[in-house]
Amino acid sequence: MTTIHDVAALAGVSASSVSNVLNGRTEKLSAKTYSRVQAAIQSLNFSPNRVARQLKTGHTPMLGLLVPSTANPMYGQLALNIEAAAQSRFGYSLLLGNTHRDKQQEARMFDDMLSFGVRAVIVVSSLADEQHLNDAAARGMAVVSYDRAARYARDTSNRPVTAAPGAAPSTNSTGSVDHVSPDNFQAGYLASAHLIFHGHRHLAFLVPDGDTVSRSAKVAGFLARAEEGRKAGLPILSTVLKAPVVGAFGDSELLDLGAAMADQLVALSPTPSGIVTVNDMLAIGLMSGLQRLGLRVPGDISIVGMDGLPIAAFVNPGLSSIAMPLGEMADAMVERAIARATQPDLPPFNALFETRLIERQSVAPPRDTSSHELRDYPGDHI
Amino acid sequence: MTTIHDVAALAGVSASSVSNVLNGRTEKLSAKTYSRVQAAIQSLNFSPNRVARQLKTGHTPMLGLLVPSTANPMYGQLALNIEAAAQSRFGYSLLLGNTHRDKQQEARMFDDMLSFGVRAVIVVSSLADEQHLNDAAARGMAVVSYDRAARYARDTSNRPVTAAPGAAPSTNSTGSVDHVSPDNFQAGYLASAHLIFHGHRHLAFLVPDGDTVSRSAKVAGFLARAEEGRKAGLPILSTVLKAPVVGAFGDSELLDLGAAMADQLVALSPTPSGIVTVNDMLAIGLMSGLQRLGLRVPGDISIVGMDGLPIAAFVNPGLSSIAMPLGEMADAMVERAIARATQPDLPPFNALFETRLIERQSVAPPRDTSSHELRDYPGDHI
DNA sequence: ATGAAAGCGCTAACAG
DNA sequence: CTGTTAGCGCTTTCAT
């Protein structure tokens, strides 16, 4: 391995000068020394050892990312976007961990990253308990948490209450964990509104068992729109269906879980005509299960998913979904994580991103309803 | 940050003893010293700085992984499996890079990883040129390349010729890059055989433009089976369709690419009745495109994909696919990468893994063929 | 403008 | 068995 000293020797200068060149401190070097060193670096194809540098400076251009599973395309995409932002905008590399939504794993991975000198990590945690995040933050890690910045407070039109940047969700009382999230309440609200708009009066929200900040927010939004409908005199039935989860969490399990839920769904009497699922993979699984049972989507049952995955456009029928601005959120998270790693005293950050409905072919008026609600509704304009 | 010296002070011993405890050198310590140090470590919640350790030892428990894009579920899953194997079997963490099949990126990421002290990396490279891999290997990196261990040599029954462990593909002349791959020739062969078995006589292989070792192998297998059919007197037509690729490579592009190819496909006259695609995402895109054109799968056109993605079971109709043993391959790659990092003089390694057909609903006899080939065929038994 | 020297936290001889 | 010492490759005062 070639070191800074080899370069120094070749250029006939001291190691310090090489270091200065490496760090672009042009003002401390004469032009000729500078170029001589440059030449030496080139000819030796030298690239400084980041480990040594890190030991000295305490910094390393590495960003941690903890996701439940990259096998879920949602997180695969998130990883892609985050890596791209980290790399292109800050020159950071990505240290990835799959947590399987396991608290132990998550904690262990935090430790690992800490021991590698990683100072900034982005976490997609499903755990209701945020303590381990706070622990990590307390240990000097800049952590930004994805999908947990729920806000239940709404104004009278169900718009999110504009919170001061410092307004943290209730789970984050101690401090320095930042939050970036799609507006999950809005997502649930939009999905529900879409179904109601198309005439559905018997709605169900499908979600794997296990509490999560984002899931609760989605459910709350879903329920809120149904309640609004009722207040407007519509005979709306809204129920929440929890799918029993056994074993590990993963991409394939979500699909399987959705498929399995088809049976439970049709066993319901009366069967809901409009379903919203907590994510697209679950919706795709459900749709497949329903079809296997001889039901038609959207003929017999309408479905709207959430995530806005590309694949949702390619299943048959195309799945209507609530899309999240993945790229923007990834940018925000990366920026924030790195910013806080440098300036730990930044004020708490809480960003909620707008979601939007993508209409495709999985929603149609219900079979047994002749009168649709065609008037305008608030959900249109959120 | 608490260091080894804090622990030493608290335990009333020297730093070396702490180091010895940390590294489990029980034979060098008295039991009482050992436990005293242990206690100190516990009470300080001390965990050694890996960076410092690495600077000293030159090793770091970090595995590099370079994939085209984790947005493609195939690679998201691969990343998951690799991370799991690395973590659970060796305690290694995963440094992930998305290359977008860009040679510059790939080379830059190798440099990055090298500078982080990573000594073992797994690469999914699409590039026909393997030079940058060899370069990295020459610079002291243990690199195992995925999906490039093509072997065209076959015996008379089209079984892969069992090669000595040292038999490297032609592109790997200089040395120390190891190869792990599904048997792509077999994959192509099986897909082709499946279609022929169901009576298809006009076959097409759909692949994005751009040469790749794995793609070539798949095509070769596809063509080989068609040729066999011809030799057996069947009037088989087999063509290869290259989809023009513009812009970056990614998950969504594959789906879109497949959908776009539907038009080109039906423009062909006569239109092939049986299609095999180089991967599942392309197949799913194609199926969707075909359906949008009013064609039915498998009624009008049969499709078989490759990869065996879970999602393939959930599209409508279910996509028949050639599955690859992802978990086994991930294990083999991780094991090999880490082994070679420790013992650079290991003999070259080349592993080809069996693929298998998963039958679902996307293949049926062609519309205009009344006589099916129902006799047995070699592909059944590969 | 340049170099000498100290040290980041750890490990690995080598003495004691 | 235990402690002392000398770095790993780099950055960073502080002299010169």
Side-chain angles (χ1 to χ4, degrees):
Chain A
M1 165 154 283
T2 139
T3 81
I4 209 177
H5 290 104
D6 301 326
V7 178
L10 179 59
V13 298
S14 77
S16 331
S17 296
V18 178
S19 173
N20 284 330
V21 171
L22 251 26
N23 293 285
R25 288 185 248 282
T26 44
E27 77 281 1
K28 311 200 70 180
L29 309 217
S30 71
K32 55 199 63 174
T33 311
Y34 192 89
S35 53
R36 201 136 39 88
V37 173
Q38 282 287 20
I41 290 176
Q42 296 293 321
S43 81
L44 260 46
N45 200 291
F46 169 75
S47 129
N49 181 330
R50 280 197 167 121
V51 176
R53 177 179 286 178
Q54 179 185 357
L55 184 58
K56 187 65 189 169
T57 64
H59 297 142
T60 188
M62 214 154 65
L63 175 69
L65 174 63
L66 262 22
V67 294
S69 163
T70 48
N72 182 334
M74 180 61 175
Y75 301 127
Q77 250 182 246
L78 191 66
L80 178 73
N81 281 291
I82 285 175
E83 201 249 343
Q87 188 61 255
S88 70
R89 297 177 52 202
F90 300 94
Y92 272 49
S93 294
L94 224 221
L95 197 57
L96 175 78
N98 290 101
T99 66
H100 299 276
R101 300 188 191 257
D102 179 272
K103 193 168 180 170
Q104 305 285 330
Q105 288 259 336
E106 225 169 273
R108 195 182 46 60
M109 285 172 171
F110 266 120
D111 284 352
D112 273 6
M113 293 189 167
L114 218 39
S115 83
F116 278 120
V118 173
R119 301 289 216 70
V121 6
I122 294 171
V123 200
V124 180
S125 173
S126 68
L127 309 169
D129 178 10
E130 201 175 30
Q131 193 47 50
H132 56 306
L133 300 194
N134 288 321
D135 289 351
R139 296 216 263 155
M141 192 91 107
V143 3
V144 359
S145 169
Y146 173 78
D147 222 9
R148 300 178 57 92
R151 243 174 261 167
Y152 295 95
R154 298 274 152 167
D155 63 20
T156 49
S157 344
N158 265 318
R159 288 183 176 76
V161 171
T162 307
S170 55
T171 44
N172 178 24
S173 46
T174 62
S176 43
V177 173
D178 291 319
H179 292 265
V180 166
S181 182
D183 187 339
N184 288 310
F185 182 98
Q186 181 193 50
Y189 189 94
L190 289 177
S192 186
H194 184 56
L195 256 10
I196 293 173
F197 177 73
H198 278 277
H200 292 271
R201 296 296 174 261
H202 191 180
L203 275 29
F205 189 96
L206 189 58
V207 54
D209 202 3
D211 269 355
T212 270
V213 175
S214 62
R215 288 174 185 167
S216 305
K218 286 171 178 172
V219 168
F222 165 81
L223 258 17
R225 180 58 184 92
E227 180 59 23
E228 265 180 42
R230 264 173 240 125
K231 287 198 177 130
L234 264 22
I236 295 177
L237 241 51
S238 53
T239 76
V240 177
L241 249 62
K242 303 211 171 188
V245 171
V246 289
F249 178 96
D251 171 68
S252 29
E253 284 98 281
L254 268 184
L255 290 166
D256 292 334
L257 194 60
M261 284 307 286
D263 300 283
Q264 292 190 229
L265 197 61
V266 301
L268 254 42
S269 166
T271 300
S273 67
I275 315 292
V276 2
T277 69
V278 81
N279 61 47
D280 283 343
M281 295 306 272
L282 199 61
I284 292 172
L286 175 67
M287 191 184 292
S288 170
L290 252 18
Q291 288 169 159
R292 207 156 302 178
L293 256 29
L295 294 179
R296 318 210 87 226
V297 177
D300 299 310
I301 293 187
S302 289
I303 303 181
V304 8
M306 292 188 185
D307 280 349
L309 294 183
I311 186 79
F314 293 87
V315 294
N316 180 18
L319 175 68
S320 294
S321 182
I322 309 295
M324 321 291 190
L326 213 49
E328 288 173 49
M329 293 191 294
D331 282 355
M333 288 192 280
V334 169
E335 184 175 332
R336 197 60 190 192
I338 293 176
R340 181 171 295 287
T342 344
Q343 315 157 53
D345 48 331
L346 247 29
F349 179 76
N350 244 314
L352 225 44
F353 284 78
E354 295 284 312
T355 63
R356 66 172 223 285
L357 170 70
I358 300 179
E359 288 195 57
R360 287 196 271 252
Q361 297 79 44
S362 62
V363 174
R367 209 178 202 69
D368 54 3
T369 303
S370 47
S371 68
H372 306 158
E373 176 194 22
L374 290 174
R375 65 181 180 77
D376 205 356
Y377 62 99
D380 257 339
H381 307 299
I382 280 194
Chain B
M1 163 152 286
T2 139
T3 79
I4 209 176
H5 290 104
D6 301 326
V7 178
L10 179 60
V13 298
S14 77
S16 334
S17 296
V18 179
S19 174
N20 283 330
V21 171
L22 251 25
N23 293 285
R25 287 185 247 283
T26 44
E27 78 281 2
K28 310 198 74 182
L29 303 243
S30 71
K32 54 199 63 175
T33 312
Y34 192 88
S35 53
R36 200 135 40 88
V37 172
Q38 282 286 19
I41 290 176
Q42 295 294 320
S43 81
L44 261 44
N45 201 289
F46 169 76
S47 127
N49 183 329
R50 281 200 167 118
V51 176
R53 177 179 287 178
Q54 180 185 357
L55 184 57
K56 185 64 189 170
T57 65
H59 296 142
T60 189
M62 213 154 64
L63 175 68
L65 174 63
L66 263 22
V67 294
S69 163
T70 48
N72 181 334
M74 181 61 176
Y75 300 128
Q77 250 181 246
L78 191 66
L80 178 73
N81 282 293
I82 285 174
E83 201 249 344
Q87 187 60 255
S88 71
R89 296 177 53 201
F90 301 94
Y92 271 50
S93 294
L94 223 222
L95 196 57
L96 175 76
N98 290 101
T99 65
H100 299 277
R101 297 186 194 259
D102 179 272
K103 192 168 181 171
Q104 305 283 332
Q105 288 259 336
E106 225 169 273
R108 195 183 47 59
M109 284 172 171
F110 266 120
D111 284 352
D112 273 6
M113 294 188 166
L114 218 39
S115 83
F116 278 119
V118 173
R119 302 289 216 69
V121 5
I122 293 170
V123 200
V124 180
S125 174
S126 69
L127 308 169
D129 178 9
E130 200 176 30
Q131 193 48 49
H132 55 306
L133 300 194
N134 288 322
D135 289 351
R139 297 217 262 154
M141 193 90 108
V143 3
V144 1
S145 170
Y146 174 76
D147 222 8
R148 299 179 56 92
R151 241 174 263 169
Y152 295 96
R154 297 275 152 168
D155 63 21
T156 48
S157 348
N158 264 317
R159 288 185 175 73
V161 171
T162 306
S170 57
T171 44
N172 178 22
S173 47
T174 62
S176 43
V177 173
D178 291 319
H179 293 265
V180 165
S181 180
D183 187 338
N184 287 311
F185 182 97
Q186 181 194 49
Y189 188 95
L190 288 178
S192 186
H194 184 54
L195 256 10
I196 292 173
F197 178 71
H198 278 278
H200 292 272
R201 297 295 174 261
H202 190 179
L203 275 28
F205 190 96
L206 188 59
V207 56
D209 203 3
D211 269 356
T212 269
V213 174
S214 61
R215 288 175 184 166
S216 305
K218 286 171 178 172
V219 168
F222 166 80
L223 258 19
R225 180 59 184 90
E227 179 60 22
E228 266 181 42
R230 264 174 240 122
K231 285 199 179 130
L234 264 22
I236 295 177
L237 242 51
S238 53
T239 78
V240 176
L241 250 60
K242 304 211 171 190
V245 172
V246 289
F249 178 94
D251 169 70
S252 30
E253 285 98 279
L254 268 184
L255 289 165
D256 293 334
L257 193 61
M261 284 308 286
D263 300 283
Q264 291 190 230
L265 196 62
V266 300
L268 254 43
S269 168
T271 300
S273 67
I275 315 293
V276 2
T277 69
V278 81
N279 61 47
D280 284 342
M281 293 307 271
L282 200 62
I284 292 172
L286 174 68
M287 193 185 292
S288 170
L290 251 18
Q291 288 170 158
R292 207 156 302 177
L293 256 29
L295 294 179
R296 321 209 87 228
V297 177
D300 299 311
I301 292 187
S302 289
I303 303 180
V304 9
M306 292 186 186
D307 279 350
L309 293 183
I311 186 79
F314 293 87
V315 295
N316 181 16
L319 176 68
S320 294
S321 182
I322 309 295
M324 321 290 189
L326 212 50
E328 289 173 50
M329 293 190 295
D331 283 355
M333 288 192 280
V334 168
E335 184 174 330
R336 197 59 190 191
I338 292 176
R340 182 171 294 288
T342 346
Q343 315 159 53
D345 48 329
L346 247 30
F349 179 75
N350 244 316
L352 224 45
F353 284 78
E354 294 284 312
T355 63
R356 66 173 222 285
L357 170 70
I358 299 179
E359 288 197 56
R360 287 197 270 251
Q361 297 79 43
S362 63
V363 174
R367 207 179 207 68
D368 54 3
T369 303
S370 49
S371 70
H372 306 155
E373 176 194 21
L374 291 174
R375 63 180 182 78
D376 205 359
Y377 61 98
D380 257 339
H381 307 298
I382 279 191

